[in-house]
Amino acid sequence: MHTLVVGLSHQTAPVELREKFSFDPDRIMMPLRALRDTKSMLECVIVSTCNRTELYIVADQLHTGEYYAKAFLEGWFRVAREEFVPHLYVKTNKDAVEHLFRVVCGLESLVIGETQILGQVKQAFQVALQAGTTGTLFNHLFKQAISLGKKVHTQTEIGQNAVSVSYAAVELGKKLFTSFAKKTVLLVGAGKMSELTAKHFQASGVKEVLVANRTFSKAEELAAIFQGTAYRWEHLTKALLEADVVVSSTGAKQFVITHDMVKNVLLERKKALFFIDIAVPRDIDPSINELDNAFLYNMDDLEEMVASNIHLREQEAERVEVWIKEEQTAFREWLDTLGVVPVITALRNKSLQIQADAMTKMERKLPDLTEQQRRVINKQTKSIVNQMMHDPIMRMKELASTEEKEAALRLFKHLFALELDDAQADQPQEKMMPSGLPLPTN
């Protein structure tokens, strides 16, 4: 058995290509089962997000597994292979396992340490379980990966520090206000950055969003996104009186919010105002920082905070890398024991059969035994068998991860006279490709 991951991500493919390979989450069962029924495939999980589409596969052979995974993508999405293969990455066995661990920990994300991908991988695995496309290997691997992801996001601060300008603005606001529950955000200008920052504030619980823009129709459009209120440009001062947080990004060549304007607003409202100037050139007169109850942050402040937080995440990522190596070792040790499981099972079955036969003979020779005596003798003889088998089984598990594994297995079977059919291949029957998918020509 071999493990592969075949995929496209933001690291290897542009968005216009990635969007061609997006699976509908509400209809993922069909492609999952189609992939599982493809030749060479034994198990599969499909992870499909806005930043990545990945096929996780257990295949009987590496070459055919990779070939038919590419053929599946080509046929399912009807995109010519030469268009996407240059952007495709293929990772096998230990590299595939490491990649999955890195993905769930957020180390392969567009923003390092983001937590959303862990839930997406967990959901993908649960759907694959329901579809019946996983087995012994992936059931163990994905559960181990998800546990690792949870550990990383609960025991480190890799996802705790803002690493985008818009989210950093919210984090700064939290230092001023204990809660956003009763606060109002004013967007000055209707740019994309203002909109994104407002979305973060809204997610943090702000009560209301106001929008003031030179073109009133654009103010109305943006206000509608947040079920907020639009203000005409000449009513900007009135909007400032209503706001607690002001996000400005107009593209104007001179200050649109002046020192005197804010001074008069503060005298009337007698409450703190938090300004975020994300415009270049700046929209807000920096001298307002001299006013009581006025707090102004510009792009330099936010970018400095983001750079510091990225550094902190990178430091946490170094801890996570160590954990990933440990989990890889644990998985490899578990995988090595799979080969000895049939031998250990055969030994246990044989030893228990010997014990059962001995009990049958004893009961014939001692017919006057009470039921209580039979139970005691049965329990004790089973205990003797288990104790005798414990050390050989443990030694066999230890040898399973060494280079002498195959020779040790043969010796083990010979010493205990275990009847196993070595010629019986543990391979599934050959399967046909789903209808309409291309077959290899070589």
Side-chain angles (χ1 to χ4, degrees):
M1 294 188 298
H2 299 277
T3 306
L4 301 90
V5 57
V6 179
L8 298 160
S9 78
H10 62 92
Q11 296 175 335
T12 66
V15 65
E16 57 266 23
L17 180 61
R18 297 200 308 272
E19 63 190 8
K20 294 181 181 180
F21 291 87
S22 177
F23 290 93
D24 184 343
D26 296 326
R27 298 180 180 179
I28 196 70
M29 290 285 192
M30 188 180 298
L32 264 172
R33 288 169 176 153
L35 179 59
R36 172 61 179 81
D37 291 338
T38 300
K39 181 179 179 180
S40 196
M41 308 300 177
L42 308 178
E43 303 179 37
C44 65
V45 175
I46 296 175
V47 176
S48 183
T49 73
C50 58
N51 284 326
R52 69 182 62 250
T53 292
E54 295 180 335
L55 310 181
Y56 289 86
I57 297 163
V58 177
D60 55 9
Q61 296 179 44
L62 279 178
H63 174 73
T64 54
E66 179 180 340
Y67 179 90
Y68 283 105
K70 293 175 181 177
F72 172 80
L73 289 171
E74 183 179 31
W76 191 268
F77 293 104
R78 303 196 180 282
V79 178
R81 191 176 303 202
E82 56 269 20
E83 183 178 343
F84 68 86
V85 166
H87 301 274
L88 206 65
Y89 50 86
V90 179
K91 300 179 185 293
T92 62
N93 295 325
K94 66 182 181 65
D95 292 334
V97 172
E98 180 183 10
H99 179 77
L100 175 61
F101 289 159
R102 289 179 61 83
V103 167
V104 297
C105 293
L107 299 189
E108 294 294 319
S109 296
L110 185 62
V111 176
I112 186 172
E114 65 95 1
T115 59
Q116 187 178 14
I117 187 62
L118 174 59
Q120 291 167 330
V121 171
K122 182 178 179 181
Q123 177 64 22
F125 173 56
Q126 291 174 338
V127 172
L129 275 176
Q130 295 170 11
T133 63
T134 63
T136 300
L137 197 150
F138 272 177
N139 287 345
H140 183 94
L141 176 60
F142 273 83
K143 287 176 183 177
Q144 183 181 347
I146 291 165
S147 295
L148 172 62
K150 290 179 179 178
K151 175 183 175 182
V152 166
H153 292 302
T154 56
Q155 297 184 25
T156 75
E157 296 184 0
I158 194 168
Q160 300 304 309
N161 304 298
V163 289
S164 70
V165 167
S166 54
Y167 192 67
V170 178
E171 292 299 296
L172 285 171
K174 288 179 179 177
K175 294 179 180 180
L176 180 61
F177 303 114
T178 55
S179 170
F180 288 122
K182 296 181 180 180
K183 305 302 179 184
T184 297
V185 172
L186 167 62
L187 306 182
V188 180
K192 284 294 181 182
M193 278 291 288
S194 296
E195 178 183 343
L196 184 58
T197 306
K199 285 181 178 178
H200 286 304
F201 274 111
Q202 190 176 59
S204 297
V206 295
K207 179 185 70 172
E208 188 177 4
V209 175
L210 314 177
V211 183
N213 192 62
R214 292 186 188 276
T215 305
F216 184 62
S217 60
K218 289 186 177 180
E220 289 181 311
E221 290 175 10
L222 187 54
I225 294 176
F226 302 100
Q227 292 80 50
T229 303
Y231 280 79
R232 296 187 181 279
W233 191 249
E234 55 268 28
H235 297 154
L236 177 57
T237 301
K238 182 180 179 182
L240 288 171
L241 285 168
E242 300 294 327
D244 299 290
V245 179
V246 180
V247 180
S248 189
S249 179
T250 68
K253 302 300 181 183
Q254 56 190 13
F255 298 142
V256 298
I257 299 178
T258 65
H259 179 279
D260 289 342
M261 181 189 300
V262 175
K263 180 180 179 180
N264 292 333
V265 167
L266 289 173
L267 286 172
E268 187 170 347
R269 57 179 275 134
K270 294 183 173 60
K271 291 191 301 182
L273 255 177
F274 176 49
F275 294 91
I276 304 166
D277 190 347
I278 53 178
V280 180
R282 290 174 293 179
D283 278 345
I284 304 175
D285 186 344
S287 67
I288 73 164
N289 253 332
E290 301 169 3
L291 298 171
D292 292 338
N293 285 333
F295 302 86
L296 170 62
Y297 296 92
N298 59 32
M299 284 292 284
D300 287 346
D301 299 318
L302 297 176
E303 288 175 353
E304 182 180 346
M305 180 179 180
V306 166
S308 174
N309 287 343
I310 288 175
H311 178 65
L312 290 173
R313 287 199 179 197
E314 288 172 346
Q315 288 181 319
E316 291 290 80
E318 292 177 5
R319 290 178 59 196
V320 175
E321 294 279 9
V322 174
W323 291 353
I324 288 175
K325 295 299 181 186
E326 293 172 351
E327 293 296 329
Q328 282 184 273
T329 299
F331 179 75
R332 185 170 61 251
E333 291 174 350
W334 172 83
L335 192 60
D336 288 337
T337 64
L338 285 184
V340 305
V341 168
V343 178
I344 292 173
T345 300
L347 177 59
R348 282 177 170 154
N349 289 342
K350 182 174 182 177
S351 60
L352 289 175
Q353 186 59 53
I354 291 172
Q355 185 270 343
D357 292 343
M359 279 298 301
T360 300
K361 292 176 182 178
M362 186 182 299
E363 289 171 354
R364 283 203 302 266
K365 292 179 179 179
L366 301 171
D368 296 330
L369 287 173
T370 65
E371 185 60 32
Q372 173 66 17
Q373 290 170 330
R374 288 191 183 90
R375 284 199 298 269
V376 171
I377 293 171
N378 186 53
K379 181 179 179 180
Q380 292 303 314
T381 52
K382 278 188 177 180
S383 177
I384 292 170
V385 168
N386 288 334
Q387 290 180 56
M388 286 293 294
M389 291 300 101
H390 179 266
D391 286 343
I393 288 173
M394 292 304 296
R395 297 295 179 270
M396 193 62 249
K397 287 183 176 180
E398 291 170 3
L399 287 168
S401 58
T402 68
E403 294 181 358
E404 294 80 22
K405 172 184 174 181
E406 296 303 325
L409 273 174
R410 287 194 296 271
L411 179 60
F412 195 82
K413 287 185 283 188
H414 176 72
L415 288 174
F416 290 96
L418 300 177
E419 300 296 330
L420 291 177
D421 187 359
D422 293 329
Q424 184 178 2
D426 186 22
Q427 302 287 354
Q429 293 183 347
E430 186 172 292
K431 295 168 284 184
M432 299 301 292
M433 289 287 288
S435 175
L437 298 189
L439 293 171
T441 56
N442 55 348

